[in-house]
Amino acid sequence: MRRQVITGGVIVVISVASAAAYNIVQGRWFNAATSRSATQVETSASSKSDGQAEGPRAAAVGAGWPESGGTSEPASSAPQSATVAQAGARPLQAAPQAATPPAAAKPAIACANPNAMGVSRVVEIDTGGGPGFGSQHFKTYDFLRDHEVALTFDDGPWPSNTQAVLKALADQCLRATFFPIGKHATYHPEILKQVAAAGHTIGSHTWSHADLQAVMKKGGQDAAIEEIEKGASAVRMMAGAPTAPFFRFPDLRHPPEMLTYLGGRNIASFSTDIDSFDFKIKKPEELTRSLIGKLNKLGKGIILMHDFQKGTATALPQILGELQKNGFKVVHMVPKGTLSTLPQYDEAVLKENKLPTMSENKPTDSVVRTIGGQ
């Protein structure tokens, strides 16, 4: 094992066993606790060139996280090429949490496409202090290389559309980051569970997709905090799995007070580099042409799409095909730790989501099934 440490600086490079499907490199990552600049830890145990796609064997980390409030250091299995970039290494404002034992390895999700794009890199985000990503609003942390993209989807989960997005991603052995709306998560928890089971990263996108600047003008900071926290609680509860301390503001409107609040909660804020405007562009062909045109001009970026939109769900296979044709590689973003929700907002979601006679929230097909006819 070769290890190189540059003291007195902000970069630490170490060569260790690489990440495998659903697992990230085992061991502790180094933090520059007194610096706001990005700390990078690169791992490679493969003869492949840095960033080269592993095809169907490449999978992102997203499963095997500890329960809410913990930190994770999942175990690795078969060698694979990956790069882990820790961003936002500022002094933590919350009390440090004890490390948990390595999580058990989980099997890769099978991919039948031998020519799949696969995940080129997995980047781990240190959300301490609430860093911001996406050049439209935040320009501090630019971790993507030329011809790299990170796929993100907002406003789900939603019937048919989210499942179509999941299928398109699975067909290309890709992993993305989802920012669900809290209410939508309570409407369709079974779909959100499918997102989690497929190994995607799950952040949050408020309780009701309210414009937080308008919420603050009407109800003050407490009302805006409630939108953020109830959304996070609902997504965590409905996913039935650990979620990421990743947040995206509705309409990308960022009240400074809420950015400060998220920083205190160690939650990263995500803007975008390329907005697909898929809520306006409804025709799949036009959406694909517009998005690829923007991407070819910029050369890389975090892409904002919506799994709520039918046009996006229809266009995604074509979009992914054009990404591959134009030489783009997909990077999967995962968190260093998991989101800790707040009990009072967990309780608020439960009260709002349940009638007194309801015992639990089960998938419809486990409660109602066809026993006759077609």
Side-chain angles (χ1 to χ4, degrees), residues 155 251 275-282 287 304-306 308-309 312:
D155 294 359
D251 301 321
D275 191 337
S276 68
F277 286 98
D278 56 356
F279 57 93
K280 291 183 178 180
I281 305 174
K282 301 295 185 180
L287 175 60
L304 167 57
M305 294 178 279
H306 297 80
F308 179 78
Q309 298 292 336
T312 300

Side-chain angles (χ1 to χ4, degrees), residues 22-273:
Y22 293 93
N23 299 278
I24 211 157
V25 179
Q26 185 176 12
R28 299 184 184 276
W29 306 121
F30 296 86
N31 283 326
T34 59
S35 170
R36 290 184 57 190
S37 60
T39 300
Q40 291 189 331
V41 181
E42 296 192 3
T43 68
S44 178
S46 164
S47 60
K48 287 184 176 288
S49 60
D50 191 21
Q52 184 176 352
E54 292 284 327
R57 294 186 297 116
V61 181
W65 297 342
E67 286 302 311
S68 179
T71 58
S72 67
E73 295 179 3
S76 63
S77 56
Q80 279 189 312
S81 177
T83 298
V84 180
Q86 291 182 284
R90 309 181 207 177
L92 299 183
Q93 299 182 31
Q97 297 170 335
T100 59
K106 292 195 174 185
I109 293 177
C111 181
N113 181 3
N115 299 313
M117 293 179 70
V119 172
S120 175
R121 282 201 300 149
V122 178
V123 297
E124 181 185 78
I125 306 295
D126 181 348
T127 63
F133 300 91
S135 61
Q136 187 167 328
H137 294 91
F138 310 110
K139 302 184 185 300
T140 303
Y141 303 111
D142 181 9
F143 61 89
L144 292 175
R145 303 167 185 164
D146 182 49
H147 273 69
E148 284 188 340
V149 298
L151 305 174
T152 69
F153 297 89
D154 289 8
D155 294 359
W158 206 248
S160 299
N161 297 343
T162 299
Q163 287 104 325
V165 167
L166 291 177
K167 183 182 186 305
L169 293 171
D171 287 346
Q172 288 288 351
C173 299
L174 296 175
R175 300 294 181 268
T177 300
F178 288 76
F179 293 94
I181 295 171
K183 278 189 175 181
H184 289 181
T186 65
Y187 299 160
H188 307 290
E190 71 284 357
I191 301 177
L192 189 57
K193 286 178 173 63
Q194 292 172 21
V195 177
H200 301 288
T201 298
I202 300 175
S204 63
H205 195 42
T206 72
W207 167 248
S208 66
H209 203 270
D211 178 343
L212 294 188
Q213 289 185 351
V215 170
M216 287 188 62
K217 287 181 180 179
K218 183 177 180 180
Q221 291 191 36
D222 288 346
I225 290 171
E226 182 177 4
E227 268 287 325
I228 292 172
E229 295 291 357
K230 275 184 67 178
S233 288
V235 169
R236 168 66 180 89
M237 293 163 65
M238 298 302 115
T243 54
F246 291 0
F247 179 80
R248 180 172 272 155
F249 286 85
D251 301 321
L252 301 179
R253 292 167 64 84
H254 305 75
E257 299 87 345
M258 293 301 98
L259 285 171
T260 300
Y261 176 78
L262 291 172
R265 289 277 281 120
N266 295 325
I267 297 174
S269 297
F270 285 82
S271 180
T272 185
D273 297 310

